[in-house]
């Protein structure tokens, strides 16, 4: 079993739609949960991070962590064409490492 | 611009040649990371430094790869005897010790091995 699973998409939605992006993971030691956005030919940029469990909201973005199911989600409300990018989930454990593990990324296209 | 800087942006080389990439992190960041990314995949961890100390290295990394961070400032990643399978985007990222979990990525070096 892979440590992190993420559907690669592509996911196409109309402008204004609510987008749901998800990752599952197998490592119980993961305590930091992150979502990055990556535009073509650019490095990833952090959108949101959560420590341990719960929800976090920032503008149109909401991140959710369900540690019991080992499942994290990112919701984008009122999606815009400028949200078209690849979304990467990322994880870090607290077991003596500062290594970040990334998912494969989901390609999102928001159609105007 | 005070972001993470990588040089060169693109590198084309022939199989068997050695290549070296440079990363200049954000100045107050003492943690520096190297990742490799291929098309349709997420970044794959290669190694990270805290100041000048290389604290962790991926077990997947062959002996042909070496990274240094002299004086805890810029870092170099060298690939010896390149193979076609080394073709990828090599990303550098940095962050402060303590603080939040935010990694700041550079725009990467795209390596093509012919």
């Amino acid at each position: 079993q892979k440590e992190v699973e993420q559907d690669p998409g592509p996911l196409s939605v109309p402008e204004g739609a609510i987008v749901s992006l998800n990752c599952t993971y197998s490592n119980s030691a993961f305590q930091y949960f992150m979502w990055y956005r990556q535009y073509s030919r650019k490095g990833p940029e952090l959108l949101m991070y959560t420590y341990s469990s719960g929800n976090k909201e920032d503008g149109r973005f909401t991140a959710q962590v369900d540690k019991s199911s080992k499942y994290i989600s990112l919701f984008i409300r009122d999606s815009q064409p400028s949200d078209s990018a690849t979304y990467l989930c990322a994880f870090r454990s607290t077991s003596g490492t500062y290594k970040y593990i990334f998912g494969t990324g989901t390609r999102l296209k928001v159609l105007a | 611009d005070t972001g993470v800087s990588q040089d060169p942006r693109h590198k084309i080389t022939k199989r068997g040649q050695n290549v070296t990439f440079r990363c200049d992190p954000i100045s107050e960041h003492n943690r520096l990371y190297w990742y490799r990314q291929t098309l349709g995949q997420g970044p794959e961890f290669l190694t990270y430094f805290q100041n000048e100390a290389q604290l962790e290295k991926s077990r997947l990394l062959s002996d042909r790869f070496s990274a240094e961070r002299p004086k805890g400032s810029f870092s170099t990643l060298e690939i010896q005897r390149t193979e076609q399978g080394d073709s990828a985007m090599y990303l550098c990222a940095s962050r402060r010790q303590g603080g939040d979990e935010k990694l700041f990525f550079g725009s990467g070096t795209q390596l093509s091995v012919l």
Side-chain angles (χ1 to χ4, degrees):
Chain A
Q1 183 187 6
K2 278 188 174 180
E3 202 168 23
V4 176
E5 301 267 10
Q6 184 174 13
D7 188 332
L11 180 62
S12 291
V13 300
E15 183 175 357
I18 296 174
V19 176
S20 172
L21 303 165
N22 311 293
C23 286
T24 58
Y25 64 95
S26 60
N27 188 341
S28 300
F30 285 158
Q31 292 288 343
Y32 292 94
F33 307 92
M34 289 140 284
W35 286 97
Y36 281 79
R37 178 175 61 196
Q38 185 174 26
Y39 292 113
S40 182
R41 298 190 193 89
K42 296 285 188 184
E45 56 177 335
L46 182 69
L47 281 174
M48 303 185 71
Y49 91 93
T50 309
Y51 173 70
S52 192
S53 58
N55 297 354
K56 192 170 185 178
E57 189 173 320
D58 184 2
R60 297 185 295 111
F61 298 90
T62 299
Q64 289 184 351
V65 174
D66 181 349
K67 289 178 69 179
S68 61
S69 302
K70 295 192 177 67
Y71 187 89
I72 69 170
S73 301
L74 178 71
F75 297 95
I76 307 174
R77 289 184 299 280
D78 186 26
S79 55
Q80 303 295 311
S82 58
D83 294 328
S84 298
T86 296
Y87 290 80
L88 299 153
C89 55
F91 304 82
R92 182 171 79 80
S93 80
T94 52
S95 58
T97 178
Y98 284 89
K99 175 174 70 177
Y100 296 83
I101 306 297
F102 285 81
T104 53
T106 299
R107 272 197 301 135
L108 171 67
K109 187 162 187 178
V110 181
L111 305 169
Chain B
D1 185 277
T2 57
V4 177
S5 175
Q6 291 189 245
D7 184 67
R9 287 297 310 275
H10 303 276
K11 178 72 178 177
I12 299 173
T13 191
K14 291 183 179 177
R15 192 175 51 186
Q17 298 294 304
N18 299 344
V19 293
T20 301
F21 310 139
R22 176 178 170 125
C23 172
D24 286 272
I26 294 171
S27 59
E28 64 267 27
H29 287 186
N30 66 336
R31 290 213 172 106
L32 185 148
Y33 295 76
W34 285 100
Y35 281 84
R36 175 172 63 190
Q37 187 176 26
T38 54
L39 201 62
Q41 298 297 313
E44 177 192 16
F45 173 79
L46 295 179
T47 189
Y48 87 91
F49 293 82
Q50 180 167 305
N51 300 313
E52 65 275 9
Q54 188 174 19
L55 294 187
E56 193 167 348
K57 187 174 172 179
S58 170
R59 277 175 250 159
L60 301 174
L61 211 59
S62 81
D63 292 342
R64 297 184 298 106
F65 287 71
S66 63
E68 292 183 342
R69 193 182 181 199
K71 301 177 184 176
S73 55
F74 72 92
S75 176
T76 57
L77 177 69
E78 181 183 18
I79 309 174
Q80 296 182 327
R81 304 180 304 281
T82 52
E83 301 172 357
Q84 287 186 322
D86 297 331
S87 296
M89 174 76 82
Y90 289 83
L91 291 163
C92 176
S94 69
R95 61 159 287 197
R96 282 187 301 120
Q97 185 173 356
D100 62 27
E101 292 296 301
K102 186 173 182 176
L103 283 178
F104 291 79
F105 280 87
S107 292
T109 294
Q110 181 66 53
L111 173 67
S112 297
V113 182
L114 305 178

